Amino acid sequence: MAVTTDNRMGPPNFGSERDMLRAFLDYHRATLATKCDGLTDEELRQQSMPPSTLSLLGLVRHMAEVERAWFRRVFEDNNAPMVWSEEIDFQAAYDASTSTRTEAFAAWEAEVQNSRRIEREAESLNLAGYQPRWGEDVSLRMVMIHVLLEYGRHNGHADFLREGVDGTVGA
């Protein structure tokens, strides 16, 4: 069993709505990274049970797409291409069969930094952006909640995937 280091900062018990959303989102981002800590590229590509091709590396790649689709494409460039799909196919990111930690984490970390910058620079959570997939305006508040829920959902998958790789549970 690999040893993981848990360097996550837990969210506060009190704070403004914005501070709480920011802290919980960052906590879940750190959780995904922690689930991948100490694993080789091969272990990160290890798939769950057939027919699923889901892997930890695939989740990292998918969350890079989620960050891009919900921050960059909504608030900066509605036509920005996705990282791994020209057709806005979120499933394409799950295919990590030839991917590496370096490639996937570089893309994910770049998107996370861009998302954080967009949020920090926004005057309020009421900032409106346009979600091209929906054809509707959405608020920064809605985007932060949506992305937080995406991380929560996929970090649950990451729990099972990590346990399947080397038996590590928790964190």
Side-chain angles (χ1 to χ4, degrees):
M1 182 175 344
V3 176
T4 62
T5 305
D6 188 353
N7 295 321
R8 294 173 300 164
M9 171 82 70
N13 292 332
F14 296 92
S16 70
E17 176 186 19
R18 191 168 190 167
D19 288 342
M20 297 296 280
L21 285 172
R22 182 185 292 151
F24 270 91
L25 191 50
D26 280 341
Y27 180 81
H28 274 280
R29 287 169 172 148
T31 297
L32 181 59
T34 298
K35 290 295 172 186
C36 298
D37 188 41
L39 297 177
T40 66
D41 285 359
E42 183 178 327
E43 290 170 322
L44 287 169
R45 286 190 296 264
Q46 187 173 319
Q47 297 175 351
S48 60
M49 62 171 47
S52 176
T53 60
L54 191 61
S55 68
L56 285 164
L57 206 53
L59 285 177
V60 172
R61 288 166 47 105
H62 174 72
M63 291 312 297
E65 297 284 40
V66 168
E67 294 272 0
R68 181 173 286 202
W70 284 98
F71 284 94
R72 184 183 305 265
R73 286 177 51 87
V74 168
F75 297 107
E76 288 187 332
D77 180 359
N78 298 148
N79 297 311
M82 299 303 283
V83 182
W84 287 283
S85 168
E86 294 179 21
E87 296 84 32
I88 318 297
D89 176 7
F90 285 87
Q91 297 301 311
Y94 287 125
D95 180 6
S97 58
T98 61
S99 187
T100 64
R101 171 191 292 276
T102 300
E103 173 214 31
F105 272 83
W108 177 62
E109 289 166 357
E111 292 304 323
V112 167
Q113 290 308 315
N114 192 60
S115 298
R116 286 179 176 141
R117 180 190 54 75
I118 290 168
E119 184 272 322
R120 274 192 320 270
E121 292 176 358
E123 201 169 298
S124 80
L125 293 175
N126 291 325
L127 174 69
Y130 180 77
Q131 175 44 275
R133 290 182 67 216
W134 292 0
E136 297 178 22
D137 287 341
V138 295
S139 69
L140 176 59
R141 175 183 292 103
M142 182 270 164
V143 166
M144 291 181 75
I145 291 169
H146 181 86
V147 173
L148 175 60
L149 292 172
E150 282 279 328
Y151 273 102
R153 174 181 175 212
H154 292 306
N155 281 340
H157 298 136
D159 284 337
F160 289 116
L161 287 163
R162 180 61 190 252
E163 186 176 6
V165 169
D166 70 357
T168 298
V169 296

